[in-house]
Amino acid sequence: MNAMEPVAFEPSQALQALADGTRQQILDCLSRERLHVDELAARFPISRPAISKHLRQLKAAGLVEEEREGRRAYYRVNLKRLRELEDWLAAQRKSWQAALSRLKRMVEGDD
């Protein structure tokens, strides 16, 4: 895949990437500023290769974008992808609420 090609939105892949606490913390850092891997690694009690692995997973899920400047890669949150995930979650929430309302009516004998 070309580095410029957008990653297709896969809610399950995004949610799986977000299931890890370290990746959540990385996203939190990147939501405030664009950082390179050394800057991120300095903020965590894990190795630089471990941070790189987390970044690869976040990037594969489309939650993080990479920007090259010379030999350095800088990372930032992909706000468009987070909005897509937020929209997907909102739709799921509506569906779940409707299903729960139907179940409540059925259990209470209102149907």
Side-chain angles (χ1 to χ4, degrees), residues 26-85:
I26 289 171
L27 274 180
D28 188 46
C29 289
L30 295 175
S31 71
R32 289 189 286 275
E33 60 186 315
R34 181 183 81 129
L35 298 167
H36 60 80
V37 69
D38 293 331
E39 292 170 322
L40 274 168
R43 298 174 185 206
F44 291 88
I46 59 177
S47 68
R48 184 187 184 285
I51 293 293
S52 292
K53 182 177 178 182
H54 285 298
L55 284 169
R56 278 193 303 277
Q57 290 171 309
L58 289 166
K59 191 176 167 190
L63 298 172
V64 165
E65 296 174 319
E66 180 182 295
E67 219 174 86
R68 286 267 191 219
E69 283 185 15
R71 296 177 62 137
R72 287 206 172 203
Y74 287 85
Y75 297 89
R76 65 180 176 184
V77 169
N78 181 346
L79 294 176
K80 180 180 182 272
R81 182 54 44 89
L82 286 179
R83 283 187 203 103
E84 289 174 338
L85 180 58

Side-chain angles (χ1 to χ4, degrees), residues 15 88-102:
L15 292 171
W88 181 84
L89 287 170
Q92 296 304 307
R93 187 178 309 113
K94 280 178 100 172
S95 176
W96 298 331
Q97 288 172 338
L100 288 172
S101 291
R102 286 191 305 273

